[in-house]
Amino acid sequence: MSRAKSAVGFWGWSWCLLLLTLTSPWPAPARAEALAADLTSHLIAITTGFTGTSVVLFGAIDGPGDVAVVVRGPDREMTVRRKSKVTGIWMNSEEITFANVPSFYFVAASRPLEEIISPGATTLYHLGVASLEMKAESGAPPELVESFATALIAAQQRAKLFPNVEGKVHFIGERLFRTTIEFPSNVPTGTYLVAVFLVRDKDVVSGQTTPLVVSKVGIDADVFGFAVRQPGLYGIIAVLTAVVAGWLASLPFRSA
Amino acid sequence: MDIYLPIAEVSVDVFVLLGLGGVVGFLSGVFGVGGGFLLTPLLIFIGVPPTVAVASSANQLVGASVSGVLAQWRRGNVDFKMGYVLLVGGLAGSFLGVWIFTLLKQLGQIELTISLSYVLLLGTLGALMMVESIRTQLRLHRPGAARRKLHQHNWMHGLPLKARFRRSKLYISALLPIGLGFVIGVFSAILGIGGGFILVPAMIYMLGMPTAVVPGTSLLQIIFVAANVTLLQAYTNRTVDAVLALVLLAGGVIGARIGSQFGTRLRGDQLRLLLALMVLAVAAKLAFDLTVRPPDLYSIASEKE
């Protein structure tokens, strides 16, 4: 189990945070001072022994209310294909490409979402898998979009990248809260956004966005970077390494 | 113990990978086939993305084949002349193969084409080999039966450019192995395999090579085909996971050692019967997958935005 480490200084993150708050996809909160939250770590370092990790989000609110948390990985474009039987053979017959599919998604709340927040706000703040706005490509047959989107969500859930159930935000007393975010070993790399919302009277009254970076470090990052920057040389080295490994492996045969 | 694969971007149990490499290495040691037909689907099954699975299998195949060829060479079981002639045809064929692959991709249904070609190719090959092996087995159990001719003479022996292949004890037209190599090259590029599966039976039945020199000579050709695929995949798709390939290789060399020792204890006809059974089993599995309702009708492909 590898521990996530914070490698970037406080001031660096503050700037990031400010920028992200300004350009955040969520509407600007009404009163930012009503809520304060942070993560135990802002960097998930993927090393050779990485088997997934967890990050704790903790914070405080200024009075009674509920807290909802959303974690969203970088958006991807995903293509869903469906097989059907054509002349006795199963083949891919229909496909729909969805834009804005989060590569990772997590949601948690102090009480079940439908009890604490109005459906309008749920949609606005993308709270819950059902309120993700995954845009199907134009020209996709409307009668197919829903079943294809359901299949996409199910696939992400199987990969543990989407939650099967809402997570739980725990209150310690009336003001302090915490929740644990689990990241599987296949967690996509990139900059994640962690949004925390203070909910009162079925609406979001305050919010805060914090970045979280998922990145390869050490030898894995080096191998990956080399493969991307010098693909030709990487290929040649990969082949030569295999040749040398094969030759070394055959050496004991001589004595046999 | 889990290991994170930098290109595949997943963690997998290192012992599962070693085991997989071992099984595939065993097959390559016994039959001289690369085992890519088995390795790639298994890697996909344990969660490696298909593109990475195909490319990294090719990378490990390079190492496995080198070690296999060296082992066979020490026993004098490699016909280098035959290998080079096959390779000339193979490289030419892979250019045509890549062109066909691009064309099929534009038309869509590349996966279906791949599966159907496998079923037809392996089904036909497997059935022919099976019939031949059973006949040989029956003949062995009938004492006093006439000794089989070394090979039948037919139109193939009337072709020009005759060359002597001393190791293979053959005097045949060089056009035959060049043509065979060409066909293998085409299929390798389309199916993404080393081609050992097609090459081994073809060397035995079409060219009439002695079974003993077939694995070594086939592996010699596979080294170059697999190296070519690795380079192309690394350069164009960046899907070669060298860490994955090396772990597979570590398991593979152990498997290959056991396999090649096992292989030398078997008689040629037993080896051919086993190979026929394996080819038929793979063809049957693929045919089954194509015609039976898949458990999940949907498949997902992700693109980075």
Side-chain angles (χ1 to χ4, degrees), chain B residues 3 26 29 36-37 40 60 62 104 123 129 141 146 157 160 172 218 241:
Chain B
I3 180 168
F26 181 79
F37 70 97
T40 311
Q60 83 88 28
V62 175
L104 285 171
M129 289 160 63
H141 294 289
H157 296 84
I172 52 166
S218 150
D241 198 314

Side-chain angles (χ1 to χ4, degrees), chain A residues 43-83:
Chain A
L43 176 70
I44 292 178
I46 299 179
T47 57
T48 308
F50 185 75
T51 53
T53 189
S54 59
V55 170
V56 172
L57 179 133
F58 57 91
I61 52 174
D62 67 347
D66 282 293
V67 169
V69 175
V70 170
V71 181
R72 202 180 161 118
D75 280 2
R76 297 275 162 89
E77 196 170 89
M78 291 195 186
T79 302
V80 184
R81 296 193 176 88
R82 186 169 70 179
K83 288 189 175 71

